[in-house]
Amino acid sequence: MMLAAHEIGLGTCWIHREREMFDSEEGKQLLRDMGIDDDLMGIGALSIGYEAEGGSHAPKHRKPDYYKIVK
C-alpha cells in the first residue's frame, strides 16, 4: 500500500500502535462495533496524504563513522 501510494505521488507514514489500542476493552468494543470478528487483530495503521510543500523523499545524510562493529 505504501509503494502504491508513493507511485501516485502520495506520502505515507506507518503507525505501529494498533495492537496496544485494540487489546484494550475500548479497542475491542470498537472492533465489535465495526463488525470485525474477535479472531482478527489490528497491528498497524497507515496515514496517507500529500507531502508538505518542498517535501523530499531523499534520505537524510548519515554521520561518518556512526556505527561500530563489535567482534
Side-chain angles (χ1 to χ4, degrees):
M1 206 171 182
M2 293 174 84
L3 291 173
H6 176 74
E7 185 67 25
I8 61 172
L10 296 173
T12 61
C13 180
W14 178 257
I15 304 165
H16 194 74
R17 178 78 180 133
E18 305 309 305
R19 184 169 185 168
E20 291 83 0
M21 184 179 85
F22 289 125
D23 276 346
S24 70
E25 285 307 314
E26 182 180 0
K28 290 176 184 177
Q29 185 60 49
L30 279 171
L31 291 174
R32 286 190 290 272
D33 292 347
M34 291 186 283
I36 298 174
D37 294 332
D38 289 340
D39 59 340
L40 297 176
M41 178 186 308
I43 299 295
L46 186 65
S47 65
I48 301 175
Y50 294 99
E51 290 188 5
E53 189 70 31
S56 171
H57 290 287
K60 293 184 178 182
H61 178 71
R62 293 186 181 262
K63 298 176 185 176
D65 301 324
Y66 189 68
Y67 58 89
K68 181 187 282 188
I69 298 174
V70 178
K71 294 183 180 184

